[in-house]
Amino acid sequence: MTTPTPTHWTEIDSPLGRLLLTADPSTGVLTSLSVPGQKGGRTVQDGWRRDPALFRSAEEQLAAYFAGELKEFHLEVRGDGSEFRERVWAALDTVPYGATTTYGEIAARIGASRAAVRAVGGAIGANPLLILRPCHRVIGADGSLTGYAGGLDRKVRLLTLEGALQASA
């Protein structure tokens, strides 16, 4: 019996607080990005291996994003989810920088019925790759800034950074 390879991780500073990134050690594919206090976010576990070098590209791209210099990430990511969640997450990846969409529009993009909007919301809420997979760009049908696992204040900051919201005076 082989022992599983430990998850590799690092933390980086950001305007949203310390970001925890995890990756598959054999492929370097990012598996999560969590913010402090995130609902359902990851925390470092015993046996995990800190490996900042593995995350250099992610760190550089996130710094450029927060500086307003990068509009699209070019990183390999993988979230482990059901087929339905994977379809929802793939639809999130198509929402462009500076734009917003609704839960109903995401449901329509994946061919789900209007009745599936709640399930779409659940899948979006379970997104393990905050910021990188832009669930912050999903808003309510009435334009309201509905829930965000990283907290509504962070959602506002991300949408303001991207120009989808006007900065308050």
Side-chain angles (χ1 to χ4, degrees), residues 3 26 52 55-56 60 73 84 100 119 125 136 142 154:
T3 12
S26 57
F55 299 90
R56 196 74 63 226
E60 291 167 359
F73 293 102
F84 179 79
T100 58
H136 59 276
D142 62 359
R154 288 190 180 107

Side-chain angles (χ1 to χ4, degrees), residues 5-10 20-33 42 49 51 53-58 74-80 86 89 93 128-129 132-133:
T5 311
T7 296
H8 286 217
W9 67 279
T10 196
L20 171 64
L21 288 90
T22 63
D24 179 301
S26 57
T27 63
V29 172
L30 294 173
T31 54
S32 73
L33 186 157
R42 297 189 81 177
R49 184 171 296 145
D51 186 359
L54 184 63
F55 299 90
R56 196 74 63 226
S57 181
H74 299 282
L75 298 165
E76 259 194 276
V77 298
R78 183 189 74 238
D80 291 322
E86 295 286 344
W89 296 340
D93 291 338
L129 290 150
L132 302 176
R133 180 170 283 137

Side-chain angles (χ1 to χ4, degrees), residues 125-155:
N127 171 20
L129 290 150
L130 294 194
I131 306 164
L132 302 176
R133 180 170 283 137
C135 55
H136 59 276
R137 297 178 188 154
V138 182
I139 61 174
D142 62 359
S144 63
L145 299 181
T146 56
Y148 181 61
L152 281 180
D153 58 327
R154 288 190 180 107
K155 183 172 190 160

Side-chain angles (χ1 to χ4, degrees), residues 71 92-100 109 137 162:
K71 295 186 176 2
L92 286 177
D93 291 338
T94 68
V95 181
Y97 181 97
T100 58
R109 282 184 198 191
R137 297 178 188 154
E162 294 184 5

